Each structure stands twice: as structure tokens, then as C-alpha cells.
Amino acid sequence: MSRVVVLCPGRGSYTEASLGSLDPDHDLVRAAERRRADFGLEPLLALDTSERFEPARHLRPAHVSPLIFVKAMIDATEAARGHEVVAVGGNSLGWYTALCLGGALGFKDAFRLVQRMSLLQEELAEGGQVLYPRMNEDWSPSAELAAAAAAALASSGGEALPAIDLGGYVVLAGSKKGGSHLLSTLPQVRIGSVTYPIRLAQHGPYHTHLARSVSDAASREFADLPFRRPEVTLIDGRGRRHSPWSTDVAALAAYTLGHQITAPYDFTASVRVAQREFAPDQVVLPGPGNPLGGIVGQVMASEGWSGAHTKEDFTALQARTTPFVLSLGLARG
């Protein structure tokens, strides 16, 4: 049985190609629909089985966050049956999935956390996020792009801030004014078929102090959330480990409802710790979609993992009979 690390996706993973991802007969889907009914919200299956993808509807935080959480949990739970899961982490929203998959929260409580956090974002967090590269198309670091991002932040008057360290990319967040500043200041650059900077649809200024109101509200509302020691080691957005033997449950809850919301999320550090400390046979990426495949590859190449130092090296590594990075959402985009 292979040893794997599971890394769960964030908000950008549910797209038009993800429609039809949920199995209506799956126990987790049925459990999630009961929780949605408690909130008086549209059924997830009504969203997932739509004839067409409607960004204003499907990407609304209150809808897309639980869609991603449930699909990622289904994929990750299935993967856990066929592998020895040695550690679990995630990007942003994926941290909540990791908490559930690792056993620090039960499904009902994790779903409540995901659903309410998305609603609190809609109610309290004004602003947005922008995605920008700091690498060239061949995955080599670009000092010019990194400098452009730093300059845009420095000239924002404190209205824009770093939010997520994402392999060869950076997510910058800001107030409405800060977001507009980033989009007008960052030089346009084309990587493959995509032109940056990209405003991330319906994303709030998570992972910055601009989300303090969300954190404060969550700390009050989830004071009773029954966190427990995980059954599998968790790797958080600082690259710190929470093991079944040493986790301070109060500190884990405080991180989840505090630092994780209001301070930058370093997914790059999470991947590096997973590689260096656990030396997995594979990294498993649950769906929907495959937003983390290239990002994990970029971190691997920067580390020289298994002799891969470039995009070309990583592509060759993936072409093996057993790829190192296994993306479970590839079949659906």
C-alpha cells in the first residue's frame, strides 16, 4: 500500500467542467443536503445538476464552498481506502476539508464550519483577491514579476496585501480600492493561454487583516465547535504540523478561527513540509478539477524532487506508469 499525502483544493476549483460531480446516492451528499436544508439554502444537487454554469449563482461563496468541500471529501475518503494517508493539508478552503479528512472535526461540524464561514464572508468581508504569476512559462522564477507584485503592494497605501503563497503564483488581496489598484498597476503578462492579473470571482480579502470581522464573528459563533486531536497529521497554512500525538486542540481551533483567516496562507510551505518530512510515494489531489496539479509541480521543481528541476522534468516524472502527483479531479476537468 503506497504512502500518500492528500492536499485539498480551495475556492477556485469548481468550474463549468465540474457540473455533475456529485453522486446523489453518496452518503456524504445526502448528509450535506440535510445540513443545507437546515440553513434554508438551495440544494447542492440542484446546483450541480444545472444545465448550464452560471457564475453569479454557482460561484457565490455560500454555494461554491460546500460544493467543493463535499466533492473533495468524497474523493479524499475514497483515496484513503486504497492508500496509507500519512498527512493531510489544503489550500485556503481546503484547510477545512483537511480538518474533516484528518479527523479533527466530524463531517456535520466541518460542513457547518464551511457553510457559515462562506455566509460570514458574504456578510462581512468587503474586497477581493487577484492572482498573479511570479514565474515564467517554463516554471523558472521571474525576478521581474516578483518585483512587479511587490511594487503594486507597496504603492497601494496599505489597501492591498499578500494573501496566499501558491507555488509559482501569488494571491494578493485588498479592499475594493486595493483590488482596483492591483488590476490597474500590475503589468499584464501571458502564461500559456492565460493573461494575468486575474480578479478571482466573488473572493473576499481572506488571509489578511481585512477579514478580521469574519474571524471575530467566527470565534464567537464556533466557540462550541468540538475540535479534537486529528487521527492523521495535519499540515496547516504556515507549514506547521498537528499530529495525533502532540496536537494542542485549543491552539488548533484558535489557528483555524484566527490566524488562518487574517494572516497570509503559505500553501507552498505546506507542500514543502509534506515532501521533506513525509517523503510520500504520491501526492493525492482531490477534485473538483485540478487547480493544484501544476502548483504542486512547481514546488516540487523548486525543491528538485526526484531530480525534477523544470516543468519539462516534472512532465516526464508524471508520464511514469505511476505519476507522483495523482489528480483525482482530472476526469472532470
Side-chain angles (χ1 to χ4, degrees):
M1 182 177 291
S2 60
R3 300 170 67 260
V4 303
V5 168
V6 180
L7 299 175
C8 303
R11 278 264 307 277
S13 56
Y14 195 93
T15 65
E16 183 174 6
S18 303
L19 291 175
S21 293
L22 301 183
D23 176 359
D25 296 322
H26 198 285
D27 288 346
L28 292 183
V29 175
R30 290 175 174 173
E33 292 291 49
R34 290 193 292 271
R35 305 285 80 76
R36 288 281 285 185
D38 292 341
F39 281 95
L41 293 166
E42 182 178 6
L44 295 179
L45 286 171
L47 292 158
D48 191 56
T49 59
S50 299
E51 291 186 3
R52 62 190 180 89
F53 187 80
E54 303 172 66
R57 176 181 172 222
H58 285 89
L59 297 183
R60 178 189 166 192
H63 294 337
V64 75
S65 292
L67 280 169
I68 294 167
F69 169 74
V70 174
K71 175 56 178 170
M73 277 298 302
I74 290 172
D75 280 358
T77 302
E78 185 62 32
R81 293 193 183 102
H83 303 89
E84 179 191 356
V85 179
V86 295
V88 183
N91 173 43
S92 192
L93 167 67
W95 172 246
Y96 304 142
T97 312
L99 287 170
C100 188
L101 182 63
L105 286 175
F107 182 84
K108 180 178 179 180
D109 293 309
F111 188 91
R112 174 189 162 205
L113 177 63
V114 169
Q115 190 64 81
R116 277 300 294 152
M117 290 301 294
S118 65
L119 290 167
L120 287 172
Q121 176 188 322
E122 291 184 2
E123 296 166 11
L124 301 173
E126 292 189 1
Q129 292 182 340
V130 172
L131 179 67
Y132 198 67
R134 55 187 180 190
M135 60 168 193
N136 299 305
E137 192 162 353
D138 63 357
W139 291 1
S140 60
S142 170
E144 182 179 357
L145 292 175
L153 291 175
S155 61
S156 72
E159 298 286 341
L161 303 144
I164 306 176
D165 192 305
L166 203 57
Y169 299 86
V170 62
V171 176
L172 309 176
S175 63
K176 290 181 179 180
K177 181 179 178 181
S180 297
H181 171 81
L182 291 171
L183 291 170
S184 63
T185 303
L186 289 166
Q188 285 199 349
V189 58
R190 192 171 181 84
I191 304 290
S193 61
V194 181
T195 300
Y196 301 89
I198 296 175
R199 182 192 293 272
L200 299 177
Q202 300 195 52
H203 282 59
Y206 255 49
H207 313 303
T208 76
H209 70 80
L210 298 173
R212 174 67 63 185
S213 59
V214 176
S215 174
D216 291 345
S219 296
R220 292 190 298 270
E221 181 163 342
F222 293 115
D224 64 338
L225 201 64
F227 284 87
R228 53 187 182 243
R229 286 187 177 182
E231 299 166 3
V232 177
T233 296
L234 301 171
I235 305 173
D236 69 22
R238 301 165 295 187
R240 296 186 186 178
R241 291 170 290 168
H242 304 265
S243 80
W245 309 278
S246 63
T247 294
D248 180 329
V249 175
L252 180 63
Y255 166 75
T256 298
L257 303 176
H259 186 284
Q260 186 268 143
I261 298 171
T262 62
Y265 199 100
D266 195 341
F267 180 69
T268 300
S270 300
V271 178
R272 285 177 175 154
V273 168
Q275 293 173 338
R276 294 177 182 179
E277 300 296 330
F278 295 92
D281 299 314
Q282 284 184 302
V283 173
V284 174
L285 306 178
N290 180 38
L292 298 181
I295 291 163
V296 171
Q298 290 153 16
V299 180
M300 286 176 57
S302 71
E303 293 280 286
W305 186 263
S306 292
H309 295 276
T310 66
K311 182 178 182 180
E312 184 178 4
D313 292 341
F314 175 73
T315 301
L317 194 63
Q318 286 295 96
R320 300 183 308 182
T321 303
T322 303
F324 183 74
V325 178
L326 180 61
S327 296
L328 300 181
L330 278 176
R332 288 201 168 275

